[in-house]
Amino acid sequence: MDKSRKNLSGSTTTTTPTTSPDAAGDSWQIQSAKARFSEVFRRARNEGPQRITRQGKDGVVMVAEEQYDRLVSKSRQPKNIVDFFRQSPLMGLELDLTRDGSPARDVDL
């Protein structure tokens, strides 16, 4: 059975299901992913994220643990500047914020 799929340019292409990833090289039907889990795992580690679909619809993406950790750490970044400074490793450091008492210099305008 052929399936229609939209590509990045928005046009629709028809593909015939196979037991390997599609032309993009990163999308698997769930049945193929189950049968070839070791290959999907290896490709996720070595080549990048592997998309797994069910009945032609987006499902899940398998990514290497290092990539997942980077994504999760980005989502845990402070939401505002106050939280950013509160989470700083320099929190509690004593700073000398006193102003210099010397007079300002003269400027010709």
Side-chain angles (χ1 to χ4, degrees), residues 77-92:
Q77 289 181 347
K79 303 282 187 246
N80 58 50
I81 191 81
V82 174
D83 289 340
F84 172 79
F85 284 113
R86 284 185 181 150
Q87 295 173 12
S88 169
L90 302 176
M91 181 71 178

Side-chain angles (χ1 to χ4, degrees), residues 102-109:
S102 61
R105 61 188 170 144
D106 291 330
V107 177
D108 292 328
L109 298 176

Side-chain angles (χ1 to χ4, degrees), residues 21-82:
D22 67 7
D26 64 352
S27 183
W28 300 76
Q29 294 176 11
I30 193 167
Q31 300 87 349
S32 299
K34 284 180 183 179
R36 299 172 69 185
F37 182 79
S38 293
E39 183 177 355
V40 178
F41 181 90
R42 180 186 57 75
R43 286 188 180 197
R45 298 274 317 144
N46 299 328
E47 299 174 17
Q50 301 295 303
R51 193 176 303 272
I52 302 171
T53 62
R54 177 182 282 166
Q55 298 177 348
K57 298 179 183 169
D58 288 341
V60 298
V61 177
M62 182 185 288
V63 296
E65 186 172 6
E66 296 83 9
Q67 191 170 11
Y68 173 78
D69 289 341
R70 283 193 305 270
L71 291 169
V72 169
S73 69
K74 286 182 180 178
S75 70
R76 291 187 183 151
Q77 289 181 347
K79 303 282 187 246
N80 58 50
I81 191 81
V82 174

